[in-house]
Amino acid sequence: MSKLKAVILAAGAGTRMKSELPKVVHKILGKTMLDYVIESAMEAGADDICVVIGHEADTVKEAVSYDVEFVLQEDQLGTGHAVMQAKDFIGDEGNVLILFGDTPLISEDTLTKMVDYHIRHDNAATLLSTIVEDPTGYGRIIRDETHTFIKSIEHKDATDSEKMIREINSGMYCFDAKELNEALKTLTNDNAQGEYYLPDTLKSIMAKRLNVNAMISDRHEDILGVNSKVQLYQAGAIMQKRINFKLMENGVTIMNPSNTYISKDASIDTDTTIYPNNHIEGKTTIGKNCIIGPNCRIVNSDIGNNVNIDGSTVLESCIGAHTTVGPYAYIRPGSTIGNHAKIGDFVEVKNATIGDYTKASHLTYIGDADVGNHVNFGCGTVVVNYDGVNKNRTIIEDNAFIGCNTNLVSPVKVDKSAYTAAGSTITKDVPPYALGIGRARQTNIEEWVKRNR
Ligand code: UD1
Ligand code: CA
């Protein structure tokens, strides 16, 4: 197959977003609109991608997660002018997709169909069109009686009868690279908007008697452009549905997909149940047979099989199989929780490793600690990891038992099978099998109440 490249236009300001951020870096489910378009282009087989930037160019550049080329369009003089800036990238070999950075719903599927259509019909240019209820504002596709493509005309340049046409130009194309570059040289800005229109390249390509065609797609959603925060939400709702339905088709139970927010990059295995109001972000993986109870936020984390997480936040951490988390647990970055462990209510774990079968059932802080297997944390344990200057590490070996309300002043080690007495402030290492007690002894003052009250 011949080489496929893509040029993505992203130089416009997007004033209707009413935002200081350039339009294409606004996010849907944690990913910028531009990254979605880049991904679809890559998935459809584009090896090289060039993004045309202009408005807030540096911000757009920094926001892109992929290795792409950038060209600058200093003044936004139209879609044709934008593509001209990429003429060296386009070159004279193979085919090139032209896409917009603000149509995040364009799918691999539609692009692949367009490329196949382009090749099958031996086209020099293929325009992606669709039929909509209200074509206002869009370029219209003009065809003759035999339904043959004649031209694409901009709304502002169209006659009243042309404005009645409901087949619209999506703005996306597949071009033969060499023919596109030659046609760009012929563009003028002699039109209602004084812009260099990309669709005008089709005229000069047709004048060479080369094949130009519009492929009608029935996936309207794919060409939906985002111009405002309302449209950002609308595109987001469609993206959310696509992601969630795909997961459901692959065997995940999602109770209410309109109330469940899962990143495109997350993967979830079969027979896992996702309750409503969960936010599963970034490159999170979740195993089989898990129950993700309501109200969880899980970010860039790996969750094993048979895990139950309820009403909790898990950030950049790993959770082993058969472990339960929550409700109201907070697992902060850099934590690794073992298998069959329990992290209960109001437990915070930060940058810590916690072994298999270890339990911290309630009201505990475990920060900067390495905890072994079968350790039990009594209620109210605090790992005192910060002395005001440095963060120190605490070590708790296998089978240790931490009594309720223990302070473990780091750096400190509780050795294997050792106990700490409830209410202790442990400042010295506790040897294996020892009981560490660090608290004042109780004194009872006889008859005190009678004398004082
Ligand atoms: C364009 C098409 C129209 C099509 C519509 C679909 C032209 C002349 N018209 O119109 O036929 O129906 O898209 O949405 O192509 N951009 C730049 N630099 C520029 C101008 C635009 O990078 O100088 C980018 C914008 O940031 C945007 C995209 O190109 O992402 C489309 O530009 P826009 O001005 O919205 O084109 P439309 O007038 O909507
Ligand atoms: Ca537009």
Side-chain angles (χ1 to χ4, degrees):
M1 217 183 101
S2 61
K3 188 167 177 60
L4 183 67
K5 298 177 242 186
V7 174
I8 303 174
L9 308 192
T15 43
R16 276 179 287 162
M17 294 299 277
K18 305 266 170 67
S19 167
E20 288 182 2
L21 278 181
K23 176 159 74 174
V24 295
V25 310
H26 281 81
K27 289 181 177 176
I28 289 173
L29 295 165
K31 191 191 290 289
T32 66
M33 292 201 271
L34 182 52
D35 272 355
Y36 280 109
V37 179
I38 293 172
E39 286 174 9
S40 291
M42 293 190 311
E43 289 162 4
D47 312 305
D48 295 315
I49 292 173
C50 176
V51 179
V52 182
I53 50 178
H55 180 78
E56 296 284 346
D58 290 337
T59 312
V60 176
K61 230 176 176 172
E62 277 162 30
V64 170
S65 315
Y66 297 93
D67 184 18
V68 300
E69 280 186 36
F70 293 97
V71 293
L72 188 68
Q73 183 195 25
E74 294 213 18
D75 298 307
Q76 280 79 61
L77 305 178
T79 50
H81 182 259
V83 176
M84 283 177 203
Q85 313 311 306
K87 66 177 192 308
D88 294 340
F89 170 86
I90 293 165
D92 56 10
E93 261 181 76
N95 293 312
V96 57
L97 295 168
I98 307 292
L99 309 172
F100 290 164
D102 60 359
T103 54
L105 297 169
I106 184 64
S107 62
E108 177 212 342
D109 200 50
T110 296
L111 292 180
T112 302
K113 277 194 188 125
M114 176 163 63
V115 173
D116 289 348
Y117 181 98
H118 180 81
I119 293 169
R120 199 159 15 97
H121 288 83
D122 196 23
N123 285 351
T126 304
L127 182 159
L128 182 68
S129 74
T130 193
I131 294 161
V132 294
E133 280 302 311
D134 178 12
T136 310
Y138 287 103
R140 307 297 205 287
I141 304 303
I142 315 295
R143 295 178 183 268
D144 69 11
E145 324 69 63
T146 65
H147 206 64
T148 305
F149 176 84
I150 304 282
K151 65 177 175 181
S152 169
I153 185 137
E154 288 308 291
H155 179 94
K156 286 185 180 151
D157 299 292
T159 63
D160 286 344
S161 66
E162 286 168 337
K163 281 184 182 140
M164 306 284 281
I165 295 169
R166 292 192 299 122
E167 183 183 355
I168 60 143
N169 180 351
S170 71
M172 294 179 254
Y173 310 80
C174 183
F175 280 99
D176 175 277
K178 180 164 159 284
E179 295 304 334
L180 172 59
N181 256 342
E182 286 185 11
L184 284 170
K185 291 178 198 152
T186 69
L187 286 188
T188 66
N189 61 355
D190 181 18
N191 52 53
Q193 301 187 86
E195 286 183 6
Y196 295 89
Y197 289 164
L198 182 61
D200 286 352
T201 56
L202 304 175
K203 286 180 202 156
S204 47
I205 295 174
M206 288 171 84
K208 293 167 85 176
R209 307 201 142 269
L210 296 168
N211 292 344
V212 174
N213 243 306
M215 185 191 88
I216 307 177
S217 169
D218 52 12
R219 291 183 57 141
H220 301 157
E221 294 178 341
D222 275 45
I223 65 124
L224 226 103
V226 170
N227 296 305
S228 66
K229 295 278 169 71
V230 170
Q231 289 173 340
L232 184 70
Y233 157 74
Q234 288 166 334
I238 295 167
M239 186 66 76
Q240 176 189 27
K241 187 172 163 184
R242 285 185 183 175
I243 293 168
N244 290 347
F245 278 34
K246 191 171 169 194
L247 287 166
M248 290 190 277
E249 275 153 19
N250 290 333
V252 178
T253 302
I254 299 180
M255 282 186 182
N256 184 356
S258 58
N259 196 343
T260 301
Y261 305 84
I262 303 179
S263 135
K264 184 187 167 204
D265 300 328
S267 74
I268 306 180
D269 215 331
T270 51
D271 292 317
T272 282
T273 299
I274 313 284
Y275 278 67
N277 198 26
N278 280 306
H279 301 256
I280 298 169
E281 303 176 22
K283 292 190 165 65
T284 292
T285 64
I286 299 179
K288 290 181 205 291
N289 297 315
C290 293
I291 297 176
I292 308 300
N295 311 318
C296 295
R297 180 161 178 252
I298 304 176
V299 183
N300 291 323
S301 294
D302 294 317
I303 314 297
N305 297 332
N306 301 90
V307 171
N308 190 340
I309 306 179
D310 184 13
S312 295
T313 297
V314 180
L315 309 176
E316 289 160 35
S317 291
C318 300
I319 295 177
H322 297 277
T323 285
T324 67
V325 175
Y328 312 109
Y330 184 21
I331 300 186
R332 291 167 53 196
S335 299
T336 302
I337 317 286
N339 304 325
H340 296 276
K342 180 179 181 193
I343 304 297
D345 52 273
F346 306 103
V347 174
E348 177 175 338
V349 179
K350 186 215 88 174
N351 190 27
T353 58
I354 292 188
D356 299 342
Y357 297 96
T358 286
K359 290 189 169 75
S361 298
H362 19 235
L363 296 153
T364 288
Y365 173 65
I366 305 169
D368 302 307
D370 297 301
V371 181
N373 303 326
H374 293 281
V375 170
N376 189 82
F377 286 90
C379 182
T381 300
V382 175
V383 173
V384 185
N385 61 321
Y386 185 49
D387 60 14
V389 181
N390 297 308
K391 301 266 164 69
N392 297 298
R393 271 195 103 75
T394 287
I395 297 168
I396 302 171
E397 297 283 12
D398 295 351
N399 302 306
F401 184 98
I402 309 299
C404 285
N405 220 21
T406 296
N407 296 311
L408 296 161
V409 181
S410 314
V412 76
K413 177 175 180 178
V414 178
D415 221 316
K416 62 179 183 194
S417 301
Y419 276 51
T420 70
S424 289
T425 293
I426 300 295
T427 53
K428 289 190 290 200
D429 291 356
V430 183
Y433 300 97
L435 169 67
I437 308 179
R439 64 183 187 215
R441 277 191 182 277
Q442 181 174 334
T443 318
N444 292 334
I445 303 172
E446 301 294 338
E447 306 286 309
W448 183 90
V449 177
K450 286 185 184 164
R451 272 185 270 119
N452 288 284
R453 294 283 177 271

